[in-house]
Amino acid sequence: MGRWSQYDTDEERLPEGMTRIGYDADTQTYTFRDADGSIWESASGNQYGQLHRVSGPAPPRYDDENDISQPGVPISTGRQPSWRREMMPLLNWFLLVGLFLLFVFWFISGSTKRVDTVTCTDASTPYKVKTGDTCWAIADLKGVPLEDLLKANQGINCDKLAVGGTICVPRP
């Protein structure tokens, strides 16, 4: 059972001058009377929502410039609403999901690091960094002083050597 709200009254939900005059339990439709005396019915199973004119004076015609249609104002077109109009809330949902997925893929692809290619001089040889390598271990393995290794690779961060990256090891 739903909760009652202060906005669940006819005065809050119906347009001004509209009053409820009946309910048909067989068809589950509510009947309303407008200020000008015309009779309106709700859709089957809906207490409020879109209303359809049953009798009374013809509704005034409006051009596009003076269209005053608002939510909650009775609409009588004689046509069934198209499926596109009914599916419009889903379009918004799919648009939000698509934008979220696009952001996730963009974020994931931006977090991968690209390894820059290194060109070594004639006085040094390239060395491909393996897992667990440190500047000191590479210098010790190749028999080169650590200071010479750091001079050959200006701006190298020994704390963050990229696995698969290349550094230049000077020849002893």
Side-chain angles (χ1 to χ4, degrees):
M1 183 169 147
R3 291 190 235 166
W4 183 84
S5 169
Q6 65 181 1
Y7 300 112
D8 286 341
T9 63
D10 287 347
E11 291 82 22
E12 296 294 329
R13 294 207 177 226
L14 293 175
E16 191 172 328
M18 179 94 52
T19 57
R20 185 180 343 169
I21 58 172
Y23 174 71
D24 184 1
D26 294 333
T27 61
Q28 297 180 348
T29 57
Y30 288 87
T31 308
F32 302 93
R33 184 180 309 274
D34 199 350
D36 66 355
S38 59
I39 306 293
W40 297 80
E41 280 188 352
S42 67
S44 180
N46 292 333
Q47 184 174 4
Y48 300 106
Q50 192 173 28
L51 303 177
H52 302 282
R53 185 184 298 271
V54 177
S55 68
R61 301 229 176 228
Y62 297 103
D63 56 0
D64 290 339
E65 294 177 9
N66 299 326
D67 188 15
I68 60 169
S69 62
Q70 298 174 358
V73 174
I75 299 174
S76 176
T77 59
R79 297 184 313 178
Q80 290 285 34
S82 81
W83 65 270
R84 290 183 184 103
R85 183 179 179 110
E86 292 175 1
M87 300 304 274
M88 193 56 79
L90 282 177
L91 173 67
N92 295 335
W93 187 82
F94 283 121
L95 183 65
L96 287 175
V97 168
L99 286 173
F100 175 76
L101 290 175
L102 186 66
F103 174 75
V104 167
F105 288 132
W106 173 78
F107 184 74
I108 290 172
S109 69
S111 66
T112 59
K113 293 184 178 179
R114 292 179 179 87
V115 178
D116 295 330
T117 57
V118 176
T119 34
C120 298
T121 63
D122 291 336
S124 60
T125 57
Y127 176 81
K128 190 169 185 172
V129 178
K130 297 182 222 99
T131 304
D133 277 346
T134 61
C135 290
W136 183 85
I138 296 170
D140 189 45
L141 177 72
K142 296 295 184 175
V144 177
L146 182 61
E147 294 80 23
D148 292 346
L149 181 70
L150 294 175
K151 284 180 189 173
N153 298 284
Q154 294 292 326
I156 190 171
N157 186 352
C158 289
D159 294 328
K160 296 181 181 178
L161 289 177
V163 175
T166 305
I167 62 171
C168 297
V169 178
R171 293 192 177 117

